[in-house]
Amino acid sequence: MGARPTIHDVATRAKVSPATVSRLLNGSARVGPDTEAVVRQAMEELGYVPSRLAQSFARGSSRTIALLVDGDGQSLQGNAFLMTIALGLGDVLADADYSIRIINGHQAMRQNRQSAAEWTRDRWRRHEFDGAVITNPTMTDALIEAIGAASIPAVVIGRYPHAQGLVQVDVDNVGGMRMATTHLTEQGHRRIAFLGPPPSLTVSSDRRQGYMEALARAGIKSDSDWLLETEGTDLEAFSFEAAHRTMTSALNQPWSWTAVVACNDEMALGAVRALTEKGLRVPEDVSIVGFDDLPFAHMVTPALSTVHQDIRQLGQHAGRALLAAVEGKPVAELTIQTVSFVTRASTAKANAFDWALDLET
Amino acid sequence: MGARPTIHDVATRAKVSPATVSRLLNGSARVGPDTEAVVRQAMEELGYVPSRLAQSFARGSSRTIALLVDGDGQSLQGNAFLMTIALGLGDVLADADYSIRIINGHQAMRQNRQSAAEWTRDRWRRHEFDGAVITNPTMTDALIEAIGAASIPAVVIGRYPHAQGLVQVDVDNVGGMRMATTHLTEQGHRRIAFLGPPPSLTVSSDRRQGYMEALARAGIKSDSDWLLETEGTDLEAFSFEAAHRTMTSALNQPWSWTAVVACNDEMALGAVRALTEKGLRVPEDVSIVGFDDLPFAHMVTPALSTVHQDIRQLGQHAGRALLAAVEGKPVAELTIQTVSFVTRASTAKANAFDWALDLET
DNA sequence: GCTCTGCGTGAAACCAGTTACAGAAAAATC
DNA sequence: GATTTTTCTGTAACTGGTTTCACGCAGAGC
């Protein structure tokens, strides 16, 4: 058939005004039952679908939310996280007829020498999106602050200390780590190391705190020798390689712990590698727990005991919060999502010898 | 201050017509040098940014491409793949001022009881996007065919046999598997098993073919006992669990191979688990290779030897192809991207004993 | 000096909806 | 039965750009 039918065509065919069709379409006002029937039939016959372009334009809103990513990051791991968040957002936002657009801040530089923050703000002003989701620590602090300052409705996933007025959604890092550590104490471990970056980011400090709390609750006096700190920039310090290096050098000196809690799964695997290279077995010689329950955590051998978080649900929380923010409704400043510990094969009971050793000291 | 400046405000301030401003903005016609200076200054002073909503509307195109995903899939692994593809698309499309929208076909059902295919077609007709990227086997055949039939510009990632006129982009599955298998023969292995789903999908049949070819080239006569077939629906048959089951039952019978090539990394890990449970060591007792080089492949112990594919680059290829398709330029029907084999710790030389055994038969 | 060409520019139509306003008809109230 | 209220519908302005067409003006060609 010819060109795409417009609301006008429908109106003509149904012998009503376009206004009436529009009203029927989005229920903005009441329409008589017989009129409705006629119009619906006309729409049916013409196969009419309203142009979203025109709708957005007329309404002055694209009903789109932006998922801000920093596309230079090579981390496939992070990508899995992001896409899962995106799906969670979609679960919530699709019902409200919003769609999700991926905006890669890193491209700003390449394109117009603008800062990512300015660039994002411009795109917001161009009505490319109504609100944004930012994942920390993927994005730089400057960007997050700029978003806040421009008063763009936004939610930050992963806590961010300096965000003013920004809505935040995060998993219970301290609770999760407490559960992981407690699992080890319950298995009889008394000397437990923590492998992680220095507490410069909220994630790392929260997780370390959870470890500390669990120790305290179990009546164990923590030892600074048990703090295995990785090195590198913020993101590097969370990596497999950093964990492997730190663990290897720790094993080159005398050590006393029988279990290690790693700041995330990737680092747990780094530890496993280092241990294996020294001829030690997991979990027979040392138990290991991780955090995140990444997709591969149950596939590695031994399967990793770790803290599970429902990332898609996290995305849904973020979606709901953002929706409220965009529509100007009141929003909780901070939503913390609960996590759970899953016991697999990388942890085992502390053996009798270790018990004895511990009682001795 | 006050309201957002429009092209009209700029025109008034610069004492020209809006048409001239528009022309300058997108270089659609020449503008005198002095006019240009005046207009640019006016834009600067007002802090003018054109409304993308209005632009899209006027041009009748949203300059958006859709990344079609099937959001019910729980596979975080697949999510990493999708987001990486998205970033690759972005690398190419952002330069052409296109943006990427995630469209989750699975939500169609929940929402309007429409089939995903109809739903997608409607959204296309609503001008929500100009072209689409489909990843196979995430999406159903029906959808892919419907997209083709509706003549929506689209590219399929991963080959799809029944696609007519659809542009396809894929990695070199047969070449990759040939390399992986050849690596094993070069290490002295003569009896090599293939762990994978039956060849119902293009991916699986291509990969199996690569294995066969490598065997043939090495002068090895393949044995049907070496074909370890997993079971389950298309996607399940590619999973860790399926591989683990098949491998376990294979090990409960006498077997003769000294190495196994798995259809993908996940399945390789399933094999490692089964082997380990039987007290066999990787790679000392049996060597294993995978395919995909997923992010964790180098983090597991032993690190997995596997076929590496540059997924982001794959996304870039797809982006270029789609761009051409959208703009009506000629496009190569099929782009095959080369892959490389990376040797890590899960493969080792066949030992002398096995050699002897082989010569004997 | 007159016509021809081409460049730069403005006026106005156009894209496809939404919505404020007003008016007519029907229903409710007194 | 007259008045008020409510419900339904149409008219027309508006969203902010793009693009066609026509025209004025300058330099080139004769």
Side-chain angles (χ1 to χ4, degrees):
Chain A
M1 315 262 62
R4 230 181 133 279
T6 71
I7 201 172
H8 225 86
D9 300 328
V10 176
T12 311
R13 185 174 193 107
K15 297 199 180 61
V16 296
S17 76
T20 303
V21 181
S22 171
R23 283 190 273 254
L24 178 60
L25 231 42
N26 40 43
S28 53
R30 309 184 64 153
V31 174
D34 23 354
T35 316
E36 168 162 357
V38 180
V39 174
R40 285 216 185 280
Q41 185 175 357
M43 295 200 301
E44 183 79 20
E45 287 168 6
L46 291 163
Y48 171 71
V49 224
S51 154
R52 178 163 266 261
L53 252 39
Q55 285 181 317
S56 298
F57 175 55
R59 294 202 261 246
S61 142
S62 52
R63 282 192 101 76
T64 292
I65 75 102
L67 179 64
L68 265 35
V69 307
D70 179 9
D72 210 39
Q74 308 300 347
S75 149
L76 282 210
Q77 223 56 264
N79 289 353
F81 179 81
L82 281 172
M83 184 52 84
T84 312
I85 289 285
L87 292 178
L89 288 170
D91 292 340
V92 175
L93 294 174
D95 292 337
D97 200 29
Y98 276 80
S99 60
I100 299 163
R101 174 168 297 209
I102 300 173
I103 293 198
N104 186 342
H106 187 77
Q107 287 166 341
M109 271 48 127
R110 279 199 313 150
Q111 286 191 11
N112 10 11
R113 303 264 188 84
Q114 247 177 330
S115 81
E118 282 173 17
W119 186 73
T120 307
R121 188 166 25 70
D122 271 4
R123 299 188 63 162
W124 145 259
R125 295 209 313 148
R126 297 185 71 181
H127 293 296
E128 284 193 45
F129 54 87
D130 300 337
V133 175
I134 311 165
T135 60
N136 184 309
T138 316
M139 310 304 291
T140 64
D141 294 2
L143 181 87
I144 299 183
E145 275 157 21
I147 299 276
S151 68
I152 299 176
V155 354
V156 180
I157 293 181
R159 214 114 41 98
Y160 177 71
H162 313 303
Q164 312 185 5
L166 283 180
V167 178
Q168 303 184 42
V169 173
D170 201 1
V171 296
D172 186 3
N173 284 311
V174 0
M177 220 33 141
R178 204 164 45 211
M179 291 165 74
T181 311
T182 301
H183 166 76
L184 292 173
T185 60
E186 283 171 357
Q187 297 291 310
H189 294 275
R190 305 293 295 175
R191 299 188 309 283
I192 303 169
F194 178 86
L195 175 64
S200 56
L201 260 45
T202 319
V203 219
S204 25
S205 79
D206 279 1
R207 293 190 180 176
R208 181 185 286 202
Q209 190 193 329
Y211 156 80
M212 290 296 198
E213 287 182 17
L215 250 39
R217 289 190 189 187
I220 298 172
K221 189 162 158 293
S222 67
D223 185 321
S224 66
D225 280 358
W226 300 348
L227 250 33
L228 276 22
E229 280 195 356
T230 54
E231 288 163 0
T233 64
D234 283 355
L235 272 126
E236 282 166 22
F238 281 94
S239 69
F240 173 87
E241 286 76 16
H244 180 248
R245 272 195 303 273
T246 300
M247 198 65 188
T248 303
S249 69
L251 292 174
N252 283 335
Q253 298 158 25
W255 76 90
S256 65
W257 28 262
T258 61
V260 6
V261 349
C263 198
N264 65 31
D265 287 351
E266 219 178 298
M267 303 183 76
L269 293 189
V272 171
R273 172 74 55 82
L275 256 3
T276 307
E277 285 168 353
K278 288 285 171 197
L280 293 162
R281 294 159 306 162
V282 176
E284 292 83 354
D285 296 319
V286 6
S287 288
I288 294 204
V289 301
F291 198 117
D292 285 347
D293 198 17
L294 291 178
F296 58 77
H298 75 280
M299 298 184 196
V300 300
T301 304
L304 206 56
S305 297
T306 187
V307 178
H308 175 79
Q309 45 185 336
D310 190 335
I311 301 175
R312 183 148 180 169
Q313 198 181 55
L314 192 64
Q316 293 172 352
H317 281 315
R320 269 185 287 270
L322 186 55
L323 203 54
V326 165
E327 294 177 348
K329 292 183 198 153
V331 198
E333 277 274 306
L334 177 61
T335 309
I336 296 284
Q337 184 179 291
T338 55
V339 296
S340 57
F341 183 78
V342 6
T343 307
R344 288 199 274 245
S346 67
T347 49
K349 280 209 180 331
N351 59 42
F353 174 72
D354 285 325
W355 265 100
L357 198 81
D358 185 54
L359 293 175
E360 221 167 82
T361 50
Chain B
M1 314 270 65
R4 236 180 126 277
T6 72
I7 201 173
H8 224 86
D9 300 328
V10 175
T12 310
R13 186 175 192 106
K15 297 198 179 62
V16 296
S17 77
T20 303
V21 181
S22 171
R23 282 189 272 255
L24 178 61
L25 231 41
N26 39 42
S28 53
R30 311 184 63 155
V31 173
D34 22 356
T35 315
E36 168 161 359
V38 180
V39 175
R40 286 215 185 282
Q41 186 177 355
M43 295 201 303
E44 183 79 20
E45 288 168 5
L46 291 165
Y48 171 72
V49 224
S51 154
R52 177 165 267 261
L53 252 39
Q55 286 181 318
S56 298
F57 176 54
R59 295 200 261 246
S61 140
S62 53
R63 282 193 103 74
T64 291
I65 74 104
L67 179 64
L68 265 34
V69 307
D70 179 9
D72 209 40
Q74 308 301 346
S75 149
L76 282 210
Q77 224 58 264
N79 289 353
F81 179 81
L82 281 171
M83 184 51 85
T84 312
I85 289 285
L87 292 178
L89 289 169
D91 292 339
V92 174
L93 293 174
D95 292 337
D97 199 29
Y98 276 80
S99 59
I100 299 163
R101 175 168 298 207
I102 300 173
I103 294 196
N104 186 344
H106 186 77
Q107 287 165 341
M109 271 47 124
R110 281 199 312 148
Q111 287 190 12
N112 9 13
R113 301 263 188 88
Q114 247 177 330
S115 81
E118 282 172 17
W119 186 71
T120 308
R121 187 166 26 71
D122 271 3
R123 299 188 62 159
W124 144 259
R125 295 208 315 150
R126 298 186 72 182
H127 294 295
E128 283 192 46
F129 54 87
D130 301 336
V133 174
I134 310 166
T135 59
N136 184 321
T138 316
M139 309 305 291
T140 65
D141 295 4
L143 181 88
I144 300 183
E145 274 157 21
I147 299 277
S151 68
I152 299 177
V155 355
V156 180
I157 293 182
R159 215 116 38 98
Y160 177 70
H162 315 302
Q164 311 185 9
L166 283 180
V167 178
Q168 303 185 41
V169 173
D170 201 1
V171 296
D172 187 3
N173 283 312
V174 0
M177 220 32 142
R178 205 164 46 213
M179 291 165 75
T181 311
T182 302
H183 166 76
L184 291 173
T185 61
E186 284 171 358
Q187 298 290 309
H189 294 275
R190 306 292 295 173
R191 300 188 309 282
I192 303 169
F194 178 87
L195 175 64
S200 56
L201 260 46
T202 319
V203 219
S204 25
S205 80
D206 279 2
R207 292 191 180 177
R208 181 186 284 203
Q209 190 192 331
Y211 156 80
M212 291 296 198
E213 286 183 19
L215 250 39
R217 289 192 189 184
I220 298 173
K221 188 162 157 295
S222 67
D223 186 321
S224 66
D225 280 357
W226 300 349
L227 249 35
L228 277 22
E229 280 195 356
T230 54
E231 288 163 1
T233 65
D234 283 356
L235 272 127
E236 281 167 22
F238 281 94
S239 70
F240 173 87
E241 286 76 15
H244 179 249
R245 271 195 302 273
T246 301
M247 197 66 188
T248 302
S249 69
L251 292 175
N252 282 335
Q253 299 157 23
W255 76 91
S256 64
W257 29 261
T258 61
V260 7
V261 348
C263 198
N264 66 32
D265 286 351
E266 219 178 299
M267 302 183 75
L269 292 190
V272 171
R273 172 72 56 83
L275 257 3
T276 308
E277 285 168 353
K278 289 282 171 200
L280 294 162
R281 292 159 307 161
V282 177
E284 292 83 354
D285 296 319
V286 5
S287 288
I288 295 205
V289 300
F291 197 117
D292 286 344
D293 197 16
L294 291 178
F296 59 75
H298 75 279
M299 296 185 197
V300 301
T301 303
L304 206 57
S305 297
T306 189
V307 178
H308 175 80
Q309 45 185 338
D310 189 336
I311 300 174
R312 183 149 181 169
Q313 198 181 53
L314 191 64
Q316 293 172 352
H317 281 316
R320 269 185 288 271
L322 185 57
L323 203 55
V326 166
E327 294 176 348
K329 293 183 197 154
V331 198
E333 277 274 306
L334 178 60
T335 310
I336 296 285
Q337 184 179 291
T338 56
V339 295
S340 57
F341 183 79
V342 4
T343 306
R344 289 199 272 246
S346 67
T347 48
K349 280 208 181 330
N351 60 44
F353 173 74
D354 285 324
W355 265 100
L357 197 83
D358 186 52
L359 294 174
E360 222 167 83
T361 51

